[in-house]
Amino acid sequence: MSQKDYDMVPRWYVVHTYSGYENKVKTDLEKTIKNRELEDFFFDIIVPMEEQIEIKDGQKKTNLKKVFPGYVLIKMIVTENSWYIVRNTRGVTGFVGSGTDPIPLSDEEIRKMGFDSVPINVDYSIDDNVKIIGGPLDNYTGIVKEIKKDKNKAVVLVSMFGRETPVEVEFSQIQKLD
């Protein structure tokens, strides 16, 4: 990795760990970052968990289960130093990527995982005419009535069966009409 490759924008990277070491890697890394005062390069370290409900002997039990066993997600700025620290944390086998260069997750991958909100910039506004692309309302046209940035959806007024009907549509399924 050469100096010119540094991108000073924090991105999400996936780090592969020995199975069962995910939380230890997270804790050790947090300690090292604090000790070496590298907080400017590390923004978040996550071991994605999801609640799992289990019913055993008529008792409902909720426990947390790792979503990606053997992986830790790190939002960081990759430099020679930050890369070295992660690589040499006990339990880390390497970054997920090609060869030695860590490959950041795309905005789309992050959105699908739902662990970090990536704002989507839309090129349409309220009262704009739009066409719905994809989904059950493919090729319908309508007027944007509301933009819900927190949900990455918009409410579009579509003419269906002779009347105006508000429908909630994903940002990615809306195309502005000129």
Side-chain angles (χ1 to χ4, degrees):
M1 243 168 81
S2 61
Q3 191 71 37
K4 68 175 173 34
D5 293 337
Y6 296 160
D7 178 354
M8 294 314 278
V9 176
R11 297 191 195 288
W12 283 101
Y13 294 89
V14 180
V15 174
H16 191 257
T17 69
Y18 292 125
S19 192
Y21 272 75
E22 304 87 353
N23 291 320
K24 178 120 182 66
V25 164
K26 176 180 160 75
T27 321
D28 290 354
L29 209 44
E30 286 169 344
K31 267 191 225 147
T32 307
I33 292 162
K34 199 168 171 42
N35 292 343
R36 301 206 183 172
E37 297 177 355
L38 290 169
E39 290 92 346
D40 291 348
F41 295 93
F42 293 91
F43 299 84
D44 210 349
I45 301 171
I46 296 178
V47 177
M49 306 289 256
E50 67 183 358
E51 271 189 10
Q52 198 177 37
I53 295 169
E54 190 180 9
I55 297 173
K56 201 172 177 180
D57 303 328
Q59 297 291 314
K60 187 171 145 184
K61 202 173 111 186
T62 306
N63 51 23
L64 287 174
K65 180 179 171 275
K66 291 182 185 104
V67 180
F68 308 114
Y71 293 96
V72 175
L73 301 161
I74 304 176
K75 187 174 192 173
M76 63 185 281
I77 293 171
V78 172
T79 65
E80 197 79 42
N81 201 13
S82 66
W83 180 85
Y84 178 85
I85 285 186
V86 174
R87 268 301 279 114
N88 290 286
T89 297
R90 230 178 70 137
V92 170
T93 57
F95 278 92
V96 172
S98 60
T100 55
D101 290 342
I103 308 282
L105 291 172
S106 70
D107 288 352
E108 190 57 32
E109 290 168 321
I110 294 164
R111 257 194 296 284
K112 280 182 181 155
M113 289 182 197
F115 63 85
D116 190 15
S117 58
V118 176
I120 297 179
N121 294 320
V122 293
D123 65 348
Y124 43 84
S125 325
I126 290 176
D127 291 335
D128 277 355
N129 286 317
V130 293
K131 178 180 175 183
I132 298 172
I133 48 175
L137 298 173
D138 194 22
N139 280 326
Y140 272 86
T141 56
I143 297 165
V144 177
K145 284 296 159 200
E146 193 182 342
I147 294 177
K148 299 180 172 183
K149 279 208 179 268
D150 56 327
K151 288 176 148 185
N152 289 332
K153 291 184 178 182
V155 175
V156 179
L157 209 53
V158 176
S159 182
M160 267 195 274
F161 313 116
R163 68 171 187 271
E164 302 280 286
T165 308
V167 291
E168 209 174 64
V169 187
E170 297 274 340
F171 283 168
S172 60
Q173 294 180 316
I174 300 171
Q175 186 177 10
K176 184 178 176 180
L177 293 173
D178 297 326

